[in-house]
PDB file of all heavy atoms in Angstrom:
ATOM      1  N   GLY G  78     -17.517  15.219  -4.268  1.00 76.00           N
ATOM      2  CA  GLY G  78     -16.866  15.286  -2.927  1.00 76.00           C
ATOM      3  C   GLY G  78     -15.832  16.409  -2.862  1.00 76.00           C
ATOM      4  O   GLY G  78     -15.726  16.963  -1.900  1.00 76.00           O
ATOM      5  N   GLY G  79     -15.011  16.528  -3.944  1.00 80.00           N
ATOM      6  CA  GLY G  79     -13.917  17.506  -3.898  1.00 80.00           C
ATOM      7  C   GLY G  79     -14.574  18.930  -3.895  1.00 80.00           C
ATOM      8  O   GLY G  79     -14.042  19.793  -3.228  1.00 80.00           O
ATOM      9  N   ALA G  80     -15.694  19.230  -4.595  1.00 85.00           N
ATOM     10  CA  ALA G  80     -16.337  20.430  -4.499  1.00 85.00           C
ATOM     11  C   ALA G  80     -16.890  20.804  -3.253  1.00 85.00           C
ATOM     12  O   ALA G  80     -16.747  21.866  -2.654  1.00 85.00           O
ATOM     13  CB  ALA G  80     -17.451  20.538  -5.640  1.00 85.00           C
ATOM     14  N   LEU G  81     -17.453  19.766  -2.541  1.00 78.00           N
ATOM     15  CA  LEU G  81     -18.012  19.821  -1.202  1.00 78.00           C
ATOM     16  C   LEU G  81     -16.925  20.202  -0.262  1.00 78.00           C
ATOM     17  O   LEU G  81     -17.032  21.169   0.641  1.00 78.00           O
ATOM     18  CB  LEU G  81     -18.635  18.561  -0.730  1.00 78.00           C
ATOM     19  CG  LEU G  81     -19.135  18.542   0.793  1.00 78.00           C
ATOM     20  CD1 LEU G  81     -20.241  19.582   0.942  1.00 78.00           C
ATOM     21  CD2 LEU G  81     -19.684  17.184   0.963  1.00 78.00           C
ATOM     22  N   LEU G  82     -15.566  19.565  -0.325  1.00 73.00           N
ATOM     23  CA  LEU G  82     -14.527  19.805   0.556  1.00 73.00           C
ATOM     24  C   LEU G  82     -14.008  21.196   0.260  1.00 73.00           C
ATOM     25  O   LEU G  82     -13.582  21.916   1.201  1.00 73.00           O
ATOM     26  CB  LEU G  82     -13.434  18.788   0.316  1.00 73.00           C
ATOM     27  CG  LEU G  82     -13.768  17.314   0.631  1.00 73.00           C
ATOM     28  CD1 LEU G  82     -12.542  16.513   0.511  1.00 73.00           C
ATOM     29  CD2 LEU G  82     -14.375  17.164   1.904  1.00 73.00           C
ATOM     30  N   PHE G  83     -13.985  21.644  -0.991  1.00 84.00           N
ATOM     31  CA  PHE G  83     -13.578  23.135  -1.380  1.00 84.00           C
ATOM     32  C   PHE G  83     -14.490  24.109  -0.678  1.00 84.00           C
ATOM     33  O   PHE G  83     -14.040  25.065  -0.182  1.00 84.00           O
ATOM     34  CB  PHE G  83     -13.512  23.223  -2.935  1.00 84.00           C
ATOM     35  CG  PHE G  83     -12.952  24.498  -3.264  1.00 84.00           C
ATOM     36  CD1 PHE G  83     -11.569  24.614  -3.284  1.00 84.00           C
ATOM     37  CD2 PHE G  83     -13.703  25.650  -3.599  1.00 84.00           C
ATOM     38  CE1 PHE G  83     -10.939  25.979  -3.650  1.00 84.00           C
ATOM     39  CE2 PHE G  83     -13.131  26.723  -4.001  1.00 84.00           C
ATOM     40  CZ  PHE G  83     -11.720  26.870  -3.968  1.00 84.00           C
ATOM     41  N   LEU G  84     -15.823  23.818  -0.670  1.00 82.00           N
ATOM     42  CA  LEU G  84     -16.737  24.778  -0.003  1.00 82.00           C
ATOM     43  C   LEU G  84     -16.411  24.786   1.608  1.00 82.00           C
ATOM     44  O   LEU G  84     -16.504  25.730   2.115  1.00 82.00           O
ATOM     45  CB  LEU G  84     -18.116  24.362  -0.290  1.00 82.00           C
ATOM     46  CG  LEU G  84     -18.574  24.582  -1.716  1.00 82.00           C
ATOM     47  CD1 LEU G  84     -20.048  24.090  -1.842  1.00 82.00           C
ATOM     48  CD2 LEU G  84     -18.576  26.027  -2.073  1.00 82.00           C
ATOM     49  N   THR G  85     -16.196  23.641   1.979  1.00 74.00           N
ATOM     50  CA  THR G  85     -15.902  23.432   3.558  1.00 74.00           C
ATOM     51  C   THR G  85     -14.480  24.359   3.777  1.00 74.00           C
ATOM     52  O   THR G  85     -14.495  25.055   4.744  1.00 74.00           O
ATOM     53  CB  THR G  85     -15.604  21.994   3.932  1.00 74.00           C
ATOM     54  OG1 THR G  85     -16.778  21.333   3.683  1.00 74.00           O
ATOM     55  CG2 THR G  85     -15.276  21.949   5.487  1.00 74.00           C
ATOM     56  N   ALA G  86     -13.573  24.254   2.813  1.00 77.00           N
ATOM     57  CA  ALA G  86     -12.342  25.041   2.962  1.00 77.00           C
ATOM     58  C   ALA G  86     -12.534  26.514   3.007  1.00 77.00           C
ATOM     59  O   ALA G  86     -12.077  27.307   3.731  1.00 77.00           O
ATOM     60  CB  ALA G  86     -11.353  24.502   1.923  1.00 77.00           C
ATOM     61  N   LEU G  87     -13.429  26.868   2.055  1.00 83.00           N
ATOM     62  CA  LEU G  87     -13.909  28.261   2.004  1.00 83.00           C
ATOM     63  C   LEU G  87     -14.481  28.736   3.321  1.00 83.00           C
ATOM     64  O   LEU G  87     -14.269  29.922   3.934  1.00 83.00           O
ATOM     65  CB  LEU G  87     -14.680  28.640   0.844  1.00 83.00           C
ATOM     66  CG  LEU G  87     -14.174  28.491  -0.525  1.00 83.00           C
ATOM     67  CD1 LEU G  87     -15.194  28.823  -1.576  1.00 83.00           C
ATOM     68  CD2 LEU G  87     -12.983  29.467  -0.710  1.00 83.00           C
ATOM     69  N   ASP G  88     -15.328  27.930   3.945  1.00 78.00           N
ATOM     70  CA  ASP G  88     -16.112  28.229   5.134  1.00 78.00           C
ATOM     71  C   ASP G  88     -14.954  28.362   6.238  1.00 78.00           C
ATOM     72  O   ASP G  88     -15.132  29.212   7.141  1.00 78.00           O
ATOM     73  CB  ASP G  88     -16.954  27.172   5.522  1.00 78.00           C
ATOM     74  CG  ASP G  88     -18.357  27.130   4.657  1.00 78.00           C
ATOM     75  OD1 ASP G  88     -18.509  28.225   3.998  1.00 78.00           O
ATOM     76  OD2 ASP G  88     -18.984  26.215   4.714  1.00 78.00           O
ATOM     77  N   MET G  89     -13.948  27.531   6.287  1.00 71.00           N
ATOM     78  CA  MET G  89     -12.956  27.553   7.312  1.00 71.00           C
ATOM     79  C   MET G  89     -12.078  28.820   7.188  1.00 71.00           C
ATOM     80  O   MET G  89     -11.746  29.485   8.123  1.00 71.00           O
ATOM     81  CB  MET G  89     -11.970  26.340   7.194  1.00 71.00           C
ATOM     82  CG  MET G  89     -12.774  25.078   7.534  1.00 71.00           C
ATOM     83  SD  MET G  89     -11.650  23.596   7.204  1.00 71.00           S
ATOM     84  CE  MET G  89     -10.484  23.779   8.471  1.00 71.00           C
ATOM     85  N   LEU G  90     -11.830  29.247   5.747  1.00 80.00           N
ATOM     86  CA  LEU G  90     -10.963  30.345   5.566  1.00 80.00           C
ATOM     87  C   LEU G  90     -11.683  31.705   5.940  1.00 80.00           C
ATOM     88  O   LEU G  90     -11.082  32.627   6.536  1.00 80.00           O
ATOM     89  CB  LEU G  90     -10.505  30.507   4.110  1.00 80.00           C
ATOM     90  CG  LEU G  90      -9.418  29.414   3.743  1.00 80.00           C
ATOM     91  CD1 LEU G  90      -9.280  29.444   2.341  1.00 80.00           C
ATOM     92  CD2 LEU G  90      -8.060  29.768   4.379  1.00 80.00           C
ATOM     93  N   PHE G  91     -13.018  31.727   5.759  1.00 80.00           N
ATOM     94  CA  PHE G  91     -13.753  32.999   6.148  1.00 80.00           C
ATOM     95  C   PHE G  91     -14.614  32.753   7.241  1.00 80.00           C
ATOM     96  O   PHE G  91     -15.527  33.572   7.521  1.00 80.00           O
ATOM     97  CB  PHE G  91     -14.547  33.155   4.862  1.00 80.00           C
ATOM     98  CG  PHE G  91     -13.778  33.526   3.618  1.00 80.00           C
ATOM     99  CD1 PHE G  91     -13.698  32.687   2.581  1.00 80.00           C
ATOM    100  CD2 PHE G  91     -13.138  34.773   3.567  1.00 80.00           C
ATOM    101  CE1 PHE G  91     -12.919  32.897   1.451  1.00 80.00           C
ATOM    102  CE2 PHE G  91     -12.385  35.072   2.449  1.00 80.00           C
ATOM    103  CZ  PHE G  91     -12.269  34.169   1.339  1.00 80.00           C
ATOM    104  N   GLU G  92     -14.307  31.814   8.129  1.00 69.00           N
ATOM    105  CA  GLU G  92     -14.970  31.635   9.397  1.00 69.00           C
ATOM    106  C   GLU G  92     -16.370  31.345   9.546  1.00 69.00           C
ATOM    107  O   GLU G  92     -17.148  31.322  10.577  1.00 69.00           O
ATOM    108  CB  GLU G  92     -14.487  32.847  10.438  1.00 69.00           C
ATOM    109  CG  GLU G  92     -14.502  32.564  11.811  1.00 69.00           C
ATOM    110  CD  GLU G  92     -14.028  33.847  12.597  1.00 69.00           C
ATOM    111  OE1 GLU G  92     -14.109  34.849  12.053  1.00 69.00           O
ATOM    112  OE2 GLU G  92     -13.833  33.649  13.870  1.00 69.00           O
ATOM    113  N   ARG G  93     -17.004  31.013   8.315  1.00 65.00           N
ATOM    114  CA  ARG G  93     -18.353  30.694   8.272  1.00 65.00           C
ATOM    115  C   ARG G  93     -18.794  29.376   8.926  1.00 65.00           C
ATOM    116  O   ARG G  93     -19.765  29.263   9.480  1.00 65.00           O
ATOM    117  CB  ARG G  93     -18.830  30.719   6.747  1.00 65.00           C
ATOM    118  CG  ARG G  93     -18.859  32.100   6.160  1.00 65.00           C
ATOM    119  CD  ARG G  93     -19.654  32.060   4.843  1.00 65.00           C
ATOM    120  NE  ARG G  93     -19.176  31.211   3.938  1.00 65.00           N
ATOM    121  CZ  ARG G  93     -18.265  31.456   2.890  1.00 65.00           C
ATOM    122  NH1 ARG G  93     -17.911  32.735   2.794  1.00 65.00           N
ATOM    123  NH2 ARG G  93     -17.754  30.638   2.069  1.00 65.00           N
ATOM    124  N   ARG G  94     -17.701  28.433   8.959  1.00 56.00           N
ATOM    125  CA  ARG G  94     -17.931  27.180   9.420  1.00 56.00           C
ATOM    126  C   ARG G  94     -18.097  27.164  10.901  1.00 56.00           C
ATOM    127  O   ARG G  94     -19.041  26.508  11.565  1.00 56.00           O
ATOM    128  CB  ARG G  94     -16.786  26.270   8.925  1.00 56.00           C
ATOM    129  CG  ARG G  94     -16.862  24.726   9.505  1.00 56.00           C
ATOM    130  CD  ARG G  94     -15.603  24.152   9.227  1.00 56.00           C
ATOM    131  NE  ARG G  94     -15.690  22.576   9.319  1.00 56.00           N
ATOM    132  CZ  ARG G  94     -14.613  21.837   9.266  1.00 56.00           C
ATOM    133  NH1 ARG G  94     -13.403  22.288   9.403  1.00 56.00           N
ATOM    134  NH2 ARG G  94     -14.840  20.358   9.336  1.00 56.00           N
ATOM    135  N   THR G  95     -17.214  27.959  11.583  1.00 55.00           N
ATOM    136  CA  THR G  95     -17.264  28.133  13.050  1.00 55.00           C
ATOM    137  C   THR G  95     -18.599  28.762  13.525  1.00 55.00           C
ATOM    138  O   THR G  95     -19.249  28.255  14.455  1.00 55.00           O
ATOM    139  CB  THR G  95     -16.054  28.989  13.491  1.00 55.00           C
ATOM    140  OG1 THR G  95     -14.942  28.441  13.067  1.00 55.00           O
ATOM    141  CG2 THR G  95     -16.165  29.090  14.971  1.00 55.00           C
ATOM    142  N   LYS G  96     -19.137  29.677  12.697  1.00 57.00           N
ATOM    143  CA  LYS G  96     -20.360  30.411  13.139  1.00 57.00           C
ATOM    144  C   LYS G  96     -21.501  29.419  12.977  1.00 57.00           C
ATOM    145  O   LYS G  96     -22.384  29.423  13.876  1.00 57.00           O
ATOM    146  CB  LYS G  96     -20.553  31.660  12.177  1.00 57.00           C
ATOM    147  CG  LYS G  96     -19.631  32.791  12.535  1.00 57.00           C
ATOM    148  CD  LYS G  96     -19.769  33.947  11.504  1.00 57.00           C
ATOM    149  CE  LYS G  96     -18.821  34.970  11.928  1.00 57.00           C
ATOM    150  NZ  LYS G  96     -18.836  36.059  10.888  1.00 57.00           N
ATOM    151  N   ARG G  97     -21.527  28.545  11.895  1.00 55.00           N
ATOM    152  CA  ARG G  97     -22.501  27.577  11.758  1.00 55.00           C
ATOM    153  C   ARG G  97     -22.554  26.495  12.879  1.00 55.00           C
ATOM    154  O   ARG G  97     -23.519  26.124  13.433  1.00 55.00           O
ATOM    155  CB  ARG G  97     -22.423  26.847  10.434  1.00 55.00           C
ATOM    156  CG  ARG G  97     -23.061  27.612   9.323  1.00 55.00           C
ATOM    157  CD  ARG G  97     -23.568  26.671   8.234  1.00 55.00           C
ATOM    158  NE  ARG G  97     -22.460  25.811   7.761  1.00 55.00           N
ATOM    159  CZ  ARG G  97     -21.646  26.156   6.726  1.00 55.00           C
ATOM    160  NH1 ARG G  97     -21.802  27.443   6.031  1.00 55.00           N
ATOM    161  NH2 ARG G  97     -20.682  25.507   6.328  1.00 55.00           N
ATOM    162  N   ARG G  98     -21.246  26.144  13.262  1.00 54.00           N
ATOM    163  CA  ARG G  98     -21.117  25.192  14.307  1.00 54.00           C
ATOM    164  C   ARG G  98     -21.675  25.815  15.659  1.00 54.00           C
ATOM    165  O   ARG G  98     -22.397  25.158  16.433  1.00 54.00           O
ATOM    166  CB  ARG G  98     -19.669  24.700  14.560  1.00 54.00           C
ATOM    167  CG  ARG G  98     -19.381  23.650  13.518  1.00 54.00           C
ATOM    168  CD  ARG G  98     -17.806  23.311  13.663  1.00 54.00           C
ATOM    169  NE  ARG G  98     -17.495  22.128  12.959  1.00 54.00           N
ATOM    170  CZ  ARG G  98     -16.248  21.620  12.989  1.00 54.00           C
ATOM    171  NH1 ARG G  98     -15.177  22.439  13.469  1.00 54.00           N
ATOM    172  NH2 ARG G  98     -15.969  20.487  12.219  1.00 54.00           N
ATOM    173  N   GLU G  99     -21.440  26.992  15.937  1.00 55.00           N
ATOM    174  CA  GLU G  99     -21.791  27.774  17.082  1.00 55.00           C
ATOM    175  C   GLU G  99     -23.406  27.850  17.148  1.00 55.00           C
ATOM    176  O   GLU G  99     -24.001  27.778  18.164  1.00 55.00           O
ATOM    177  CB  GLU G  99     -21.100  29.005  17.288  1.00 55.00           C
ATOM    178  CG  GLU G  99     -19.611  28.899  17.614  1.00 55.00           C
ATOM    179  CD  GLU G  99     -18.878  30.217  17.559  1.00 55.00           C
ATOM    180  OE1 GLU G  99     -19.468  31.202  17.038  1.00 55.00           O
ATOM    181  OE2 GLU G  99     -17.661  30.316  18.055  1.00 55.00           O
TER     182      GLU G  99
END
Side-chain angles (χ1 to χ4, degrees):
L81 174 63
L82 299 186
F83 187 77
L84 292 176
T85 301
L87 290 180
D88 285 346
M89 292 172 71
L90 286 168
F91 295 105
E92 214 176 4
R93 294 194 297 262
R94 186 189 197 194
T95 301
K96 289 176 182 175
R97 277 206 303 269
R98 280 175 164 176
E99 289 173 348

